[in-house]
Amino acid sequence: MVAVKTSSETNTLIQLSNVSKVFDNGVTALKNVHLAIKEGEFVSFVGPSGCGKSTIFKIIAGLSEPTSGTVELQAHSATEKLDQSDIGFVFQHATLLPWRSVIDNVALPLELKGIGKRERRKQAKAVLNLVGLNDYETSLPRQLSGGMQMRVSIARALIAKPKLLLMDEPFGALDEITRQTMHYELLKIWEKTNMTVLFITHNVFESVFLSTRIAVMSARPGRVTDVLDVPDYEKNDSFRSTPEFSKLVGEVSKGLQHE
Ligand code: ADP
């Protein structure tokens, strides 16, 4: 069971104002996207393939410029402004280095920063503990299940202590049972780390289970057509079979069908 945080009194961390993106080939990927994301939120982006979800992530991460409009990364504390080094990424495929052990995969971002072996291993052990993989430090990726590989990928993102975690369909390749286990794991991590999480999914059930808010997007040109608040429910197995859960699933699905 995971308790859910509320974000009503926290800072705005990311402000997207009127963001549009037109690629050189003439494709309008995003049109006039407005969205404010508060510190500590868990916001899912749901929408059809090609509606610009990944493009929003790239723009937030500074990997792509909007054609018009602005993206402001704001202060995550009284003194520190969020910058690119505070942003972690997790993708659908774990993209682990097959010849490296679990601990050395997780420690890679610190190795690239020139941090010594003893310190990076210490930090890698701590994040492996957080994702429940401390018994697998010396395993190779191929010895792990898909769900475990995804945990390694999440641990590798967490080792840099991101304030903002961008997750692009991270559980899309997992079977349903593993996916549901990962939901609990992710919510526990979110709770322990105070990160803000932005999460892309095609799965309406997943978005309702995980999020504090859901941004529903339209097909091209991608717009955020609806933003639904998910009330502060306890996230346990019973939640999935409550009328409230079904109602929210219905609302998100309706938002998608309108498009
Ligand atoms: P989603 O993540 O929702 O599937 P994307 O953000 O990846 O969608 O892409 C939105 C649209 O922009 C798609 O039609 C895609 O083909 C197009 N697109 C994405 N990246 C580029 C690019 N670098 N150049 C041209 N078109 C692109």
Side-chain angles (χ1 to χ4, degrees):
M1 189 171 74
V2 181
V4 173
K5 296 176 282 190
T6 55
S7 58
S8 54
E9 290 174 11
T10 52
N11 299 330
T12 297
L13 192 68
I14 303 161
Q15 177 74 52
L16 301 170
S17 306
N18 234 356
V19 168
S20 298
K21 176 77 184 180
V22 184
F23 286 105
D24 291 345
N25 59 0
V27 169
T28 303
L30 295 173
K31 190 159 185 195
N32 298 340
V33 172
H34 278 285
L35 192 64
I37 293 158
K38 287 181 170 181
E39 195 174 352
E41 277 199 287
F42 194 124
V43 180
S44 289
F45 293 80
V46 186
S49 285
C51 75
K53 303 180 292 296
S54 305
T55 303
I56 289 193
F57 273 21
K58 284 180 195 145
I59 287 175
I60 289 173
L63 302 171
S64 176
E65 289 281 319
T67 312
S68 58
T70 57
V71 181
E72 289 171 73
L73 302 184
Q74 315 219 351
H76 62 80
S77 72
T79 52
E80 282 181 85
K81 198 172 158 150
L82 188 79
D83 71 28
Q84 284 179 14
S85 64
D86 295 317
I87 301 176
F89 263 103
V90 177
F91 301 100
Q92 180 171 357
H93 298 289
T95 59
L96 305 175
L97 298 176
W99 60 89
R100 282 189 159 229
S101 64
V102 163
I103 194 163
D104 286 338
N105 264 287
V106 171
L108 184 64
L110 301 187
E111 192 174 334
L112 295 174
K113 280 188 189 165
I115 293 171
K117 189 166 183 178
R118 183 191 290 250
E119 178 56 28
R120 62 180 193 251
R121 287 208 156 201
K122 187 175 137 205
Q123 293 189 35
K125 279 173 191 273
V127 284
L128 280 170
N129 193 32
L130 198 61
V131 299
L133 279 185
N134 28 341
D135 291 339
Y136 295 88
E137 286 174 15
T138 57
S139 303
L140 289 170
R142 67 166 183 275
Q143 297 169 310
L144 307 181
S145 67
M148 290 158 92
Q149 290 183 18
M150 183 46 67
R151 287 172 200 229
V152 177
S153 171
I154 294 171
R156 184 183 53 194
L158 294 178
I159 201 163
K161 299 192 173 62
K163 306 281 185 306
L164 173 66
L165 189 62
L166 303 179
M167 306 186 84
D168 193 344
E169 284 196 72
F171 307 146
L174 302 179
D175 64 79
E176 187 57 26
I177 294 171
T178 309
R179 184 193 275 256
Q180 291 191 10
T181 308
M182 291 305 297
H183 292 163
Y184 290 112
E185 296 298 328
L186 178 58
L187 287 177
K188 273 196 249 163
I189 292 165
W190 174 60
E191 200 176 47
K192 280 188 196 159
T193 55
N194 284 321
M195 280 181 308
T196 305
V197 179
L198 305 187
F199 189 97
I200 291 175
T201 179
H202 287 111
N203 185 313
V204 176
F205 297 94
E206 179 167 79
S207 71
V208 171
F209 190 78
L210 290 172
S211 317
T212 55
R213 280 197 303 153
I214 301 167
V216 180
M217 294 186 65
S218 66
R220 252 180 28 211
R223 286 169 299 126
V224 173
T225 49
D226 211 354
V227 181
L228 286 127
D229 282 312
V230 179
D232 190 6
Y233 298 115
E234 270 180 11
K235 304 295 178 74
N236 52 25
D237 278 337
S238 327
F239 176 50
R240 294 184 202 270
S241 45
T242 57
E244 291 81 7
F245 185 83
S246 305
K247 184 164 173 269
L248 284 159
V249 167
E251 284 172 15
V252 177
S253 305
K254 204 164 136 199
L256 288 170
Q257 278 156 18
H258 277 165
E259 301 311 318

